[in-house]
Structure formats: structure tokens, C-alpha cells
Amino acid sequence: MDRRSLLRATLAATALSPLAAPALRAQGFDHPLRLIVPNAPGGTSDILARLLGPELTKAVGQSVVVENRTGAAGNIGADFVAKSAPDGHTLLLMDVSTLAINPALFPRMPFDVQKDLAPVSMIIYAPYLAATKNALPAKNAAELAGYAKSRGLNIANAGVGSLTHLTSVEVGSALGGEITHVPYRGGAPALLAVASGEADMIINGATATQSYVTGGQMRGIAVSGPKRLAALPDVPTFREVGWPMSDAGTWQGLMVQGNTPRPLVQRLEVALREAVAQPAIAAKLAELGGEPRTEGPEAFRAWLASSTTEFGGVVGKHNIKPE
């Protein structure tokens, strides 16, 4: 069973009935909540946190304050939540694929992802888009493989150990030829490198990359996820072209300290589910290129376990080390 099927299979078991919601709302929060984002302001996680914060405030009856605690590939912010009081008042919102990668990337993690953090729910999934500079003669995946084998290829990424890097390594291995992976300090400078012709190719979040392709600054080659992008209907999926890492992408999720009582986790899940269902929020998520993924804690936990195994295998297979 693939990850997407696993998530759907567990949805029915974790979805909360309408009758349960009032009882869960009775579980109190008695002081403001801190919503920790382990990334710099302006990124997808930060945008989501500030979008959802007011709705969560309404749902729990306490203000929700967003704090950016950056560094160590997300470990600083995540560790702060892992070591917080288990009372549901300190939340973590991030691209949780990082949490699935870091245990393999950093042998001495300051916390145990599986034990010290408790999943509340995924929020959205947004696919990756593979794109090349316009000057590259390859116009599709087959031609790209031929070019890589004959000329070599350099692929920009958002940093060593990021999921964009791991995905690029696996795709590059499938393409064959001499592949050079070029790390940048984030997705934005990596995108600019390809748009300017400095780098040949990038595999990056569709949210940020799509406009470069629709605007004619890059050429779209393939998109991860289960379907093609509405804005780029002629760009096939990774599965269609036979590429690995077909479910790679941005997986944004909400977590709390690992020993947080289940009723508080459930209340936060209800609050998050209701927030994501708001028309204005749903429209903004779609604008960000994301599909709602509010399947609940058990589905999230299953995804994290399987992804930790998968991504850890990629790190070990290619001997990837943090810089």
C-alpha cells in the first residue's frame, strides 16, 4: 500500500464525528498559545501559520502567537516544542518532511521525533515541480535523460539534506550520466540560478516554481503527486515518466509536545480541521498550490513512520552529510 492509500485508509478511523466536537471544545486552554515556525518569515510554513493563527484563536478561545525559531535544519524550533510543557499551548508548524529526514542526517538529534513530538494533523500537501533553464535543449523527461548521459547535468537544490536535495539525487540517479548537485541557501536563490541559466535544472515546490514556467522563464518537465497541475496540464507526473520519489513535495503539518493529553490533541485537530474548511482559508491554500490533508493524528503518525524509513534510506544510500 503506498503512502497516499495509507493516509486515506486511516482517515475513516481518525475522523471525529460532529457529536464529539462540542465535548472536545469543553477542554480548556487557559493562556495564549505559541505557534512555533522553525523557518524564516515569508516561507510556506510561516504563511500558513499566520493564515491559520486567527482561526485557531477563535476555536480555542485564546490568542495564538506565531514565533519564528530558525536554525539547524528546523531542529532548533522543533526541539523547543519537544521540550515544552505537555499542555497543548506550544505548537509546531513546519514542513514535516524535514522531521522525517533529520534523524538520518543528524546522528545526534537533540530530541526523538517519534516520542517527543505528537502529531495533531497534516495541513496541506503541495507537489514538487521539475523545471529546466530555457536554453537546455531537452524538452521532456526522455530527452533530459539523453542529455544527462551525453553532456552531464547540474541540478540546483534548496540545501544539502533538504527533501528537494534528496529528490534531486534520486531523480538524477534515474536519469543517469554525470549529475552535479548544487546547494543554495533556500529555494528562492536556487530558482533564480536556473532562471538566469547558472544552473540547468531544479526540483522545487510547485507553489514557488510554477510562475517561472507559466511566465516562460523555465521549462516544466514533470510534477510529483497524484495528478498534473491545472496551470500546467501538459507537464506529466513523476509516475507518468517513471521517476522515483513520486510523492515528494511539501508536507505541512501541526505537532505538539509528545506527552500532550489526547483530549487536547483532539481539540486542536478539530480546530485545525474547521479552520482549513473555511472558504477563505481553502482558497488561500489552493493559491499556495496546496491540497488540504487534515486526516488526523494517526494518519500523520503513519506517514511520518513510513517517510522516516524512506527518506532515511535515501540519505544512507547516497551517503548524504549535512554541511
Side-chain angles (χ1 to χ4, degrees):
M1 181 180 291
D2 62 23
R3 183 181 302 114
R4 199 166 304 279
S5 298
L6 181 60
L7 288 174
R8 288 171 179 161
T10 53
L11 176 57
T14 60
L16 295 167
S17 72
L19 295 176
L24 291 173
R25 289 193 182 94
Q27 302 291 332
F29 290 88
D30 58 12
H31 58 272
L33 280 64
R34 305 169 78 176
L35 183 51
I36 306 301
V37 176
N39 311 103
T44 301
S45 298
D46 183 70
I47 292 170
L48 272 179
R50 297 179 192 281
L51 178 67
L52 294 171
E55 295 299 324
L56 293 176
T57 293
K58 295 175 190 175
V60 303
Q62 293 287 341
S63 60
V64 177
V65 181
V66 177
E67 296 182 20
N68 299 88
R69 290 179 173 263
T70 65
N75 279 344
I76 289 178
D79 184 52
F80 180 81
V81 177
K83 291 181 171 59
S84 67
D87 58 7
H89 287 72
T90 307
L91 316 176
L92 175 68
L93 194 160
M94 66 184 296
D95 185 341
V96 291
S97 64
T98 303
L99 292 177
I101 295 170
N102 283 357
L105 198 62
F106 300 99
R108 297 181 180 177
M109 287 279 286
F111 61 96
D112 187 313
V113 174
Q114 302 288 344
K115 295 179 180 179
D116 298 333
L117 293 170
V120 174
S121 180
M122 287 287 192
I123 303 171
I124 64 169
Y125 164 76
Y128 281 167
L129 177 60
T132 64
K133 64 183 182 183
N134 284 332
L136 204 75
K139 293 180 172 59
N140 54 50
E143 292 181 5
L144 186 65
Y147 182 90
K149 291 182 178 72
S150 63
R151 302 278 298 276
L153 193 71
N154 66 72
I155 306 178
N157 64 66
V160 173
S162 65
L163 187 53
T164 65
H165 179 214
L166 267 62
T167 305
S168 298
V169 168
E170 282 286 87
V171 169
S173 181
L175 290 173
E178 185 176 342
I179 307 295
T180 302
H181 297 280
V182 186
Y184 288 82
R185 293 186 179 274
L191 281 168
L192 290 175
V194 180
S196 68
E198 178 182 307
D200 295 330
M201 177 182 170
I202 189 170
I203 300 176
N204 191 58
T207 301
T209 312
Q210 180 175 286
S211 62
Y212 285 87
V213 177
T214 56
Q217 296 167 278
M218 296 182 192
R219 180 182 296 115
I221 301 296
V223 62
S224 66
K227 60 185 179 182
R228 298 187 180 195
L229 295 173
L232 298 169
D234 295 330
V235 176
T237 65
F238 280 24
R239 285 191 180 92
E240 288 178 275
V241 300
W243 283 3
M245 304 289 283
S246 60
D247 282 337
T250 296
W251 294 87
Q252 298 286 335
L254 188 70
M255 307 185 83
V256 290
Q257 203 281 336
N259 294 319
T260 301
R262 184 169 176 78
L264 292 179
V265 175
Q266 289 178 318
R267 185 176 177 193
L268 289 168
E269 182 200 348
V270 169
L272 183 63
R273 191 188 299 273
E274 291 178 348
V276 171
Q278 295 294 319
I281 301 292
K284 183 62 178 179
L285 295 181
E287 182 183 318
L288 291 171
E291 301 175 0
R293 293 287 173 190
T294 52
E295 286 93 348
E298 297 309 317
F300 188 169
R301 193 180 301 278
W303 178 91
L304 185 60
S306 65
S307 295
T308 298
T309 299
E310 178 186 357
F311 300 156
V314 176
V315 170
K317 174 184 174 181
H318 297 283
N319 196 31
I320 295 171
K321 303 292 183 183
E323 290 188 324

